[in-house]
Amino acid sequence: ETFVQAGASGQLKVVADFADYRQVGGIKVAFKVTLTNPAICIVTDVESVDFNEPLEDAFFEPRREL
């Protein structure tokens, strides 16, 4: 997938590559995502995916300033 992102020096073309698809609960999920633009390349490797896990309400509270 290719898209344009606003950068400090104007518009940047960003390419997103999705790879290492695995079945999780009957859904194919990309466990590797690579984002590349002229300034940087970011690789994300996913270790695990869980769907519909219960979350505590505190998870949605704003973070406190330190």
Side-chain angles (χ1 to χ4, degrees), residues 38-52:
I40 194 168
C41 177
I42 300 170
V43 178
T44 302
D45 289 310
V46 177
E47 292 181 5
S48 66
V49 174
D50 294 314
F51 293 115
N52 298 318

Side-chain angles (χ1 to χ4, degrees), residues 9-61:
S9 60
Q11 302 288 321
L12 294 173
K13 177 183 170 186
V14 179
V15 177
D17 291 311
F18 302 90
D20 189 17
Y21 283 89
R22 303 179 201 171
Q23 289 278 348
V24 179
I27 300 170
K28 282 198 170 190
V29 178
F31 274 66
K32 184 171 191 157
V33 179
T34 304
L35 297 174
T36 307
N37 70 36
I40 194 168
C41 177
I42 300 170
V43 178
T44 302
D45 289 310
V46 177
E47 292 181 5
S48 66
V49 174
D50 294 314
F51 293 115
N52 298 318
E53 290 291 313
L55 298 173
E56 298 291 328
D57 288 341
F59 183 80
F60 298 97
E61 294 294 323

